[in-house]
Amino acid sequence: MPAVSKGDGMRGLAVFISDIRNCKSKEAEIKRINKELANIRSKFKGDKALDGYSKKKYVCKLLFIFLLGHDIDFGHMEAVNLLSSNKYTEKQIGYLFISVLVNSNSDLIRLINNGIKNDLASRNPTFMNLALHCIANVGSREMAEAFASQIPSILVAGDTMDSVKQSAALCLLRLNRMCPDLVPMGEWTARVVHLLNDQHLGVVTAATSLITNLAQKSPDDFKTAVALSVARLSRIVTSASIDLQDYTYYFVAAPWLSVKLLRLLQCYPPPEDAALRSRLTECLETILNKAQEPPKSKKVQHSNAKNAILFEAISLIILHDSEPTLLVRACNQLGQFLQHRETNLRYLALESMCTLASSEFSHEAVKTHIDTVISALKTERDVSVRQRAVDLLYAMCDRSNAKQIVAEMLNYLETADYSIREEIVLKVAILAEKYAVDYTWYVDTMLNLIRMAGDYISEEVWYRVIQMVINRDEVQGYAAKTVFEALQAPACHENLVKVGGYILGEFGNLIAGDSRSSPLVQFNLLHSKFHLCSVPTRALLLSAYIKFINLFPEIKTTIQDVLRSNSQLRNADVELQQRAVEYLRLSCIASTDILATVLEEMPPFPERESSILAKLKKKKGPRHLPDIDDARRNVNGSTENSENAEASKKSSPSLMADLLPTNRPRPASASPIMLSAVTMGSTHPFTDLMNVNSPPPATNSLLVDVFSDISTPAAVEVCEENFSRFVCKNNGVIYENQLLQIGLKSEYRQNLGRIYVFYGNKTSTQFVSFSSSVTSQEPLTAHLNVHSKTVDPVIEGGAQVQQIINIECVSDFTDAPVLDITFRYGGALQNIGVKLPVMLNKFFQPTEMTSQDFFQRWKQLGAPEQEVQKIFKAQHPMDTEVTKAKIIGFGVALLENVDPNPTNFVGAGVIHTKSTQVGCLLRLEPNTQAEMYRLTLRTSRESVSQRLCDLLSEQF
């Protein structure tokens, strides 16, 4: 950078700043600023021959006033004029003013771009750097459109100076983050990879950040970077600190470059080449070895630099999950950090070990640190570290240590922070169920859990306890006895009363032989809690009472007296009043056999994934939930029980629906959340809109680069991947990535439709500035009216919001509207476009016809322009039932016994639009031997026939 001469001191600016600092009040400051603004305005307007020094001084004053919080509405043109100066200081102030005050919508952008182009073409490295810094600082779409194609050529040019290459790489990185669709991919991408071999480590560092960002979007284009990254990393970690003196930070050689190279390698799987893989392993072993060496300095900067590289290396080891020796060594190294005096290191060690616990190679090594983790749980002062300790205990749990870990979690629950108690409750419930060999231990643990943390017991937890007891005959008597004893405590939490009422109502007869738990004693015990409970619990207890009449006829009169009392028959709550009246009449008029049939014991529940696990995944988000499966992940990251896992993902009726069958008295009012999946009437995985079973993202960097934003906005490309799947169905997941899941539930009647769009936040971080809108291309707007309701601008982590879109079909159409979603996640703007599955066939009304009517109408539609026929190869197995289901899902009525050939399929329907109705007949002729189909459609409109043929033929 050129030296600043004495004449550049700008004494007037220094005096002005001094005057501002000496102001005694806000009013005095405003008065002085207004006086200065008036002086500057007069200078700019009056003296047309103002020299560069004066312009620079006055522009600096304006910049200082703006930074004090005052609006500046003039001086922009003078700042732009400074760009044409040949003096560095004047040009620098001009670029600084533009970077801070000029927005992307300014009329001066064209003049600014011309000034920048002149500096980029000047080949003066100082001026080129200033121009590149300005482009990166503004980072607008207009800047990207003007320079995105020019900067790559500067970056890879052979005669470009190193400092300019650094600026060009970082400038291109900024533009790619802001406008990824405008950065062209061309032959320069192959050349930029070779910058990893550059002699200047500053260029390598900047290029690594750029390549990492580009590789996340197009990994195949930058595969060659893996070998170069490993080679460069090897040279760094094996070199002495004196070899890289300019890039040695407190005796650590090039720490930032090392971290960036390790992060780049995390974008790719382990190298297939044996030699390259061996060299990478040597690098990682060297990093682990250096972590064991005595520190070369007592400065905190030295340890921070070493640990930054170490944790990024461990993150790469965990991600590749292919070297057992490295995984165990990484676990042992992290174990040493568990007792480190630095809180941040303890936190990172616990977080990394949570991921290590899911690997089959390192799970046993993680378990050896159980005592240290339990000690941290009891003694750690920082609540975030204690929470990570709970996560690690949960992750390392298996059948050998389940009882110990559950006991420690229960002990900690009594003193745990209120913010994490619900999470601990869910984890204890999951572990107790998963690793219960002796179900008496499970019952004891769960009742103890409900007793200790009643306020934090969600409905899913006590529902699951009841489900487990009902499904296992051997534990029913013990559960009845245990819950009966627990209810005898003077103060019982309401959730314990719910469990007690349900279990005694079902299995109280198993302990009725003991005089201490006779039927009357059981009833009196439950009824003593009745007046202390809320309405849903009272409703459940009334259901338990009517069950007692069936189990214990000898106390029928006592229970009827309670049901007949004014407090029940005239209860202010309509639910309790109705139950009391109906149960009383049922007990009076029904015979013993009818009562036994209506009030028989609950059947076993179908086995399925625990709803508690689903709630925990929703609460924590997929990124933070460790895997506790017995089948630990193997080398390639899959699980042995993948088929079972897939089966468990299929939606089934909710647990509440099982607990409250429609043909039985309802023990408690249904929760709208639990019933939501049932009321949708769908067994498709759409009912799991939050995708709680999805695996965590592959990359999860432990360290954040403070010099860069690691998040990358998604390219605004319309996603059509799942569009064709919705031709023959109305419900399902239309889009999903690591952050967001979008589900649809649609309904259509004649020419009107309504789509319920569900946005699910799969992360633990809230989405802000969330908005969604529906756009249509020009021809479509005349054929389709679309109105969407606004959506909540904030979606909390693990939460879900709904948006309603109303549709009216005016006339037949071929294109589909696009759902545009924008939101901010972690400060980065995310843009997503999804093609909405609104097709012409959605407005079908099926029409039943006889064989005679069908062929009569078929002949009437015999004109060449009314028929479209297509012969095509079968893309899926030719299954008759599947074909029928798809034709019905397409919207037409499937007409049986109409076609003379029984293997053919025929259908009829009417397309309803606002302007007209279009009748449609279709005929599908399969040829199983040739694996071919012939599809014929006849309608009164050629465009309708062609569109329907195109849509339906893609389904077979």
Side-chain angles (χ1 to χ4, degrees):
M1 182 182 295
V4 179
S5 64
K6 292 183 179 180
D8 291 329
M10 291 188 289
R11 183 174 178 276
L13 176 63
V15 171
F16 174 62
I17 293 174
S18 177
D19 290 347
I20 293 296
R21 289 177 176 174
N22 293 331
C23 290
K24 302 297 183 182
S25 64
K26 186 70 175 176
E27 290 76 14
E29 177 184 313
I30 293 175
K31 184 178 179 181
R32 179 68 181 88
I33 288 175
N34 287 337
K35 178 181 177 182
E36 191 63 37
L37 287 175
N39 177 54
I40 297 173
R41 196 186 300 269
S42 66
K43 293 291 184 181
F44 283 166
K45 287 186 176 180
D47 192 352
K48 298 298 182 181
L50 209 60
D51 62 358
Y53 171 79
S54 298
K55 284 184 183 178
K56 177 185 69 172
K57 179 177 66 174
Y58 292 134
V59 168
C60 272
K61 288 183 178 181
L62 291 177
L63 187 57
F64 178 73
I65 293 171
F66 176 79
L67 295 178
L68 288 176
H70 301 272
D71 292 333
I72 300 297
D73 57 1
F74 69 98
H76 299 74
M77 181 57 75
E78 284 71 19
V80 173
N81 290 337
L82 287 175
L83 299 187
S84 60
S85 172
N86 289 324
K87 288 187 177 182
Y88 168 79
T89 55
E90 294 175 7
K91 191 182 289 286
Q92 180 193 35
I93 296 301
Y95 275 123
L96 182 61
F97 186 93
I98 290 168
S99 299
V100 175
L101 272 84
V102 176
N103 60 52
S104 59
N105 298 323
S106 173
D107 296 333
L108 301 174
I109 283 293
R110 183 170 296 177
L111 292 174
I112 295 170
N113 287 349
N114 287 335
I116 292 175
K117 285 180 180 178
N118 292 334
D119 285 336
L120 290 179
S122 69
R123 311 310 293 174
N124 183 321
T126 304
F127 292 172
M128 293 178 74
N129 276 327
L130 285 175
L132 290 168
H133 293 170
C134 181
I135 296 171
N137 286 331
V138 175
S140 65
R141 191 168 186 85
E142 289 75 13
M143 288 283 190
E145 289 174 348
F147 302 109
S149 59
Q150 184 178 357
I151 296 173
S153 60
I154 296 174
L155 176 61
V156 299
D159 58 345
T160 304
M161 293 188 64
D162 292 335
S163 61
V164 179
K165 285 184 179 179
Q166 284 180 264
S167 299
L170 295 176
C171 181
L172 196 58
L173 173 62
R174 166 72 169 168
L175 295 182
N176 189 61
R177 283 176 176 159
M178 299 306 295
C179 308
D181 56 312
L182 296 180
V183 178
M185 291 291 179
E187 61 179 27
W188 67 271
T189 57
R191 298 174 63 185
V192 77
V193 172
H194 292 285
L195 291 177
L196 295 175
N197 275 334
D198 199 277
Q199 296 296 320
H200 194 281
L201 288 192
V203 175
V204 180
T205 304
T208 305
S209 296
L210 174 62
I211 294 169
T212 302
N213 186 270
L214 295 172
Q216 292 172 353
K217 183 173 69 172
S218 306
D220 292 339
D221 293 338
F222 298 93
K223 280 184 177 180
T224 54
V226 174
L228 297 176
S229 299
V230 172
R232 174 63 79 172
L233 181 65
S234 177
R235 293 202 297 271
I236 294 174
V237 299
T238 57
S239 65
S241 58
I242 57 173
D243 296 338
L244 302 171
Q245 285 187 352
D246 292 340
Y247 289 88
T248 297
Y249 180 78
Y250 287 87
F251 303 100
V252 180
W256 283 277
L257 177 55
S258 300
V259 167
K260 289 178 181 292
L261 289 171
L262 289 165
R263 191 169 294 169
L264 172 57
L265 291 171
Q266 291 175 38
C267 297
Y268 295 94
E272 296 179 0
D273 181 69
L276 185 60
R277 190 166 184 167
S278 175
R279 191 172 186 183
L280 176 58
T281 302
E282 290 176 5
C283 292
L284 297 173
E285 287 178 343
T286 304
I287 294 173
L288 293 175
N289 291 336
K290 286 187 175 182
Q292 299 290 340
E293 296 175 358
K296 297 179 180 179
S297 172
K298 293 183 179 180
K299 298 282 188 180
V300 68
Q301 292 91 336
H302 173 71
S303 60
N304 283 348
K306 279 182 61 177
N307 292 331
I309 299 172
L310 174 63
F311 275 103
E312 207 63 53
I314 291 175
S315 180
L316 179 62
I317 293 169
I318 294 172
L319 179 65
H320 284 179
D321 195 23
S322 59
E323 297 291 338
T325 306
L326 287 178
L327 286 163
V328 173
R329 286 196 60 187
C331 180
N332 294 336
Q333 181 63 53
L334 293 172
Q336 297 177 18
F337 288 144
L338 293 179
Q339 295 177 312
H340 199 279
R341 59 186 177 85
E342 177 61 41
T343 304
N344 289 336
L345 281 180
R346 297 197 300 273
Y347 180 93
L348 288 172
L350 289 167
E351 188 176 51
S352 301
M353 290 183 79
C354 283
T355 313
L356 276 173
S358 65
S359 171
E360 63 173 350
F361 299 130
S362 54
H363 181 72
E364 292 299 323
V366 173
K367 284 168 56 179
T368 60
H369 301 284
I370 184 171
D371 294 333
T372 307
V373 179
I374 291 173
S375 175
L377 191 65
K378 296 176 180 178
T379 60
E380 184 62 54
R381 292 184 179 182
D382 193 302
V383 61
S384 61
V385 180
R386 293 198 299 272
Q387 187 167 2
R388 293 286 82 79
V390 172
D391 291 343
L392 180 52
L393 285 175
Y394 176 78
M396 69 169 62
C397 187
D398 58 21
R399 296 194 184 279
S400 65
N401 57 17
K403 291 188 176 181
Q404 179 188 3
I405 289 177
V406 168
E408 292 295 344
M409 284 188 172
L410 285 175
N411 290 337
Y412 174 62
L413 187 59
E414 295 181 355
T415 57
D417 298 82
Y418 294 109
S419 59
I420 63 173
R421 285 194 179 185
E422 183 181 4
E423 183 183 325
I424 295 175
V425 166
L426 294 175
K427 288 182 175 178
V428 169
I430 291 169
L431 296 179
E433 175 187 338
K434 185 172 183 64
Y435 299 115
V437 178
D438 179 7
Y439 280 95
T440 59
W441 171 76
Y442 170 77
V443 170
D444 290 338
T445 300
M446 294 307 298
L447 292 182
N448 194 24
L449 179 66
I450 295 172
R451 178 185 60 79
M452 294 172 59
D455 290 336
Y456 300 93
I457 301 294
S458 61
E459 290 184 330
E460 289 87 350
V461 174
W462 72 267
Y463 289 170
R464 192 65 178 175
V465 174
I466 292 170
Q467 183 180 4
M468 295 291 288
V469 171
I470 288 177
N471 282 13
R472 285 160 180 82
D473 297 339
E474 70 275 11
V475 80
Q476 292 167 357
Y478 181 80
K481 176 177 178 294
T482 307
V483 78
F484 174 78
E485 293 173 351
L487 287 173
Q488 293 177 353
C492 293
H493 194 275
E494 190 169 332
N495 283 326
L496 185 59
V497 177
K498 292 177 182 177
V499 175
Y502 205 109
I503 291 179
L504 292 179
E506 293 291 333
F507 310 114
N509 59 313
L510 299 179
I511 60 172
D514 191 333
S515 59
R516 293 171 295 181
S517 54
S518 64
L520 187 59
V521 172
Q522 291 184 43
F523 172 73
N524 289 335
L525 179 61
L526 286 178
H527 197 54
S528 66
K529 315 291 182 185
F530 187 89
H531 66 287
L532 300 173
C533 298
S534 62
V535 170
T537 306
R538 292 184 185 185
L540 187 148
L541 290 178
L542 289 177
S543 296
Y545 297 167
I546 192 65
K547 288 264 187 173
F548 274 3
I549 291 180
N550 179 47
L551 293 177
F552 313 119
E554 62 269 27
I555 61 172
K556 177 178 180 179
T557 305
T558 305
I559 296 175
Q560 286 178 333
D561 291 340
V562 171
L563 296 175
R564 197 178 285 116
S565 63
N566 286 338
S567 61
Q568 303 303 334
L569 294 182
R570 298 183 180 180
N571 197 297
D573 186 86
V574 65
E575 174 74 13
L576 295 181
Q577 184 186 103
Q578 182 176 355
R579 290 196 183 213
V581 171
E582 293 179 356
Y583 290 168
L584 179 61
R585 292 299 297 159
L586 179 65
S587 66
C588 293
I589 65 175
S591 64
T592 305
D593 292 339
I594 293 176
L595 274 179
T597 302
V598 174
L599 304 173
E600 65 179 341
E601 185 178 301
M602 284 288 290
F605 293 96
E607 293 294 340
R608 65 167 68 91
E609 183 193 33
S610 170
S611 57
I612 311 174
L613 183 60
K615 182 177 178 66
L616 179 62
K617 288 178 179 177
K618 182 181 289 189
K619 181 178 178 63
K620 291 289 286 182
R623 289 177 65 89
H624 296 94
L625 191 65
D627 181 11
I628 61 166
D629 237 342
D630 285 338
R632 301 289 166 183
R633 292 189 304 169
N634 57 27
V635 173
N636 59 11
S638 64
T639 59
E640 296 174 11
N641 297 329
S642 58
E643 293 181 2
N644 296 335
E646 282 299 319
S648 70
K649 289 183 183 181
K650 295 181 180 178
S651 293
S652 53
S654 70
L655 179 55
M656 173 61 101
D658 286 337
L659 287 175
L660 307 176
T662 54
N663 64 340
R664 297 179 180 277
R666 305 178 75 184
S669 60
S671 164
I673 297 177
M674 294 295 293
L675 286 173
S676 61
V678 177
T679 55
M680 285 180 183
S682 171
T683 58
H684 191 272
F686 168 69
T687 55
D688 182 15
L689 283 175
M690 291 311 300
N691 194 19
V692 294
N693 300 308
S694 63
T699 58
N700 185 11
S701 180
L702 300 177
L703 296 176
V704 177
D705 183 357
V706 297
F707 297 106
S708 65
D709 177 9
I710 61 174
S711 58
T712 304
V716 187
E717 297 178 358
V718 178
C719 176
E720 302 183 22
E721 181 180 355
N722 297 323
F723 180 81
S724 62
R725 300 179 186 176
F726 282 77
V727 171
C728 296
K729 69 174 185 177
N730 289 333
N731 302 338
V733 175
I734 186 68
Y735 176 84
E736 182 172 9
N737 62 12
Q738 293 181 349
L739 304 179
L740 178 70
Q741 184 185 61
I742 304 175
L744 302 180
K745 180 173 182 283
S746 312
E747 52 189 28
Y748 294 87
R749 179 174 297 177
Q750 296 186 353
N751 70 313
L752 301 178
R754 174 172 291 178
I755 300 178
Y756 298 89
V757 186
F758 298 88
Y759 304 99
N761 183 347
K762 295 172 59 178
T763 74
S764 59
T765 304
Q766 67 175 197
F767 296 159
V768 297
S769 303
F770 190 95
S771 65
S772 65
S773 59
V774 181
T775 58
S776 303
Q777 297 295 331
E778 187 59 37
L780 183 61
T781 55
H783 305 294
L784 208 63
N785 292 331
V786 182
H787 303 282
S788 59
K789 296 186 178 180
T790 57
V791 66
D792 195 332
V794 177
I795 306 180
E796 298 294 336
Q800 172 186 314
V801 298
Q802 174 185 300
Q803 182 183 28
I804 297 177
I805 301 173
N806 295 316
I807 302 167
E808 181 185 28
C809 180
V810 179
S811 59
D812 62 279
F813 58 94
T814 56
D815 204 355
V818 174
L819 182 65
D820 293 318
I821 302 114
T822 61
F823 60 93
R824 288 194 176 274
Y825 168 74
L829 183 64
Q830 307 289 329
N831 297 306
I832 297 171
V834 181
K835 196 170 185 179
L836 274 179
V838 180
M839 305 91 159
L840 186 59
N841 67 292
K842 297 298 182 183
F843 301 96
F844 254 130
Q845 289 295 310
T847 303
E848 295 291 341
M849 302 178 72
T850 64
S851 178
Q852 182 179 354
D853 292 338
F854 178 85
F855 284 106
Q856 181 179 354
R857 181 62 178 160
W858 184 268
K859 292 178 182 178
Q860 292 173 355
L861 297 172
E865 66 272 9
Q866 295 176 327
E867 178 182 285
V868 173
Q869 188 174 92
K870 187 174 185 180
I871 300 175
F872 54 93
K873 187 77 173 177
Q875 302 297 322
H876 306 284
M878 301 179 72
D879 185 278
T880 301
E881 295 302 319
V882 173
T883 303
K884 289 181 179 179
K886 287 183 177 180
I887 292 176
I888 294 173
F890 192 65
V892 299
L894 183 64
L895 306 180
E896 303 280 0
N897 302 320
V898 170
D899 196 292
N901 187 343
T903 62
N904 292 346
F905 304 91
V906 295
V910 177
I911 295 285
H912 285 258
T913 69
K914 185 178 181 180
S915 58
T916 186
Q917 297 181 7
V918 181
C920 172
L921 303 178
L922 71 83
R923 187 182 191 187
L924 182 66
E925 301 168 82
N927 185 336
T928 54
Q929 293 181 347
E931 294 186 348
M932 301 283 287
Y933 285 103
R934 179 166 64 184
L935 174 62
T936 308
L937 280 111
R938 292 188 179 183
T939 73
S940 54
R941 285 197 180 185
E942 181 181 6
S943 59
V944 174
S945 301
Q946 186 62 54
R947 179 56 178 161
L948 294 178
C949 184
D950 293 341
L951 288 172
L952 188 57
S953 62
E954 294 176 355
Q955 303 303 306
F956 303 103

